[in-house]
Amino acid sequence: MSMTEATDSRELKERVIEINRVAKVVKGGRRFSFTALVVIGDEVDRVGLGYGKAREVPLAISKAVEDARKNLFTVPKHGQTITHEIVGRFDAARVVLRPASEGTGVIAGGGTRAVLELAGIRDVLAKSLGTTTPINMTRATVDGLKRLVRPEDVAAMRGKTIREVLPVSAVRAEREAEQPQPAVPAEEATPEAEETTE
């Protein structure tokens, strides 16, 4: 293990989403064990989801954390939010993820909130459209985050510039930001002058 890998593993935070008691019926009766659904992330851009099962709760959690470490991936971000709207799907679960303006916060519930927060996303709108089973909802969220793409990656795939790939509204906003706007204060000043003459 390299030094960078060691620091990455130390920085990861874990959050238990759900612990469930399950029973296996055998000849002598029922055998109870526990399942744990755990999400880990560095609260910057890396996140992973894991599932573990054992006879004891702590062992189930540690197995889930190990599974989550194997499934770590990097989330494309635009500032504090996601790059574009997407629908994550897993079995009967569907989760819509929408970018949000700064200061919105994480509008999501249950396991979806845990995944988004540990992925370092601070402003996002999420809505569940299917089942609310925690494991399927979180896996649908992870599916959506994995399928996010950056504008520069899309531009490279299509052989175009980023400006050509971005929507018209984004390009217009960029142009407006680049242009100096000395006319605005003058326009604001003229109504005031008219008010004084009246």
Side-chain angles (χ1 to χ4, degrees), residues 37-59:
L37 183 64
V38 174
V39 62
I40 63 169
D42 59 2
E43 294 186 330
V44 180
D45 63 351
R46 292 169 72 235
V47 72
L49 184 69
Y51 189 70
K53 183 178 176 182
R55 298 292 294 272
E56 302 293 333
V57 173
L59 191 56

Side-chain angles (χ1 to χ4, degrees), residues 16 27 30 48 116 118 135 144 149 158 188-189 197:
V16 179
K27 191 177 177 182
R30 290 195 187 110
L116 294 170
L118 288 178
I135 187 165
V149 288
R158 295 185 188 174
E188 288 176 359
T197 52

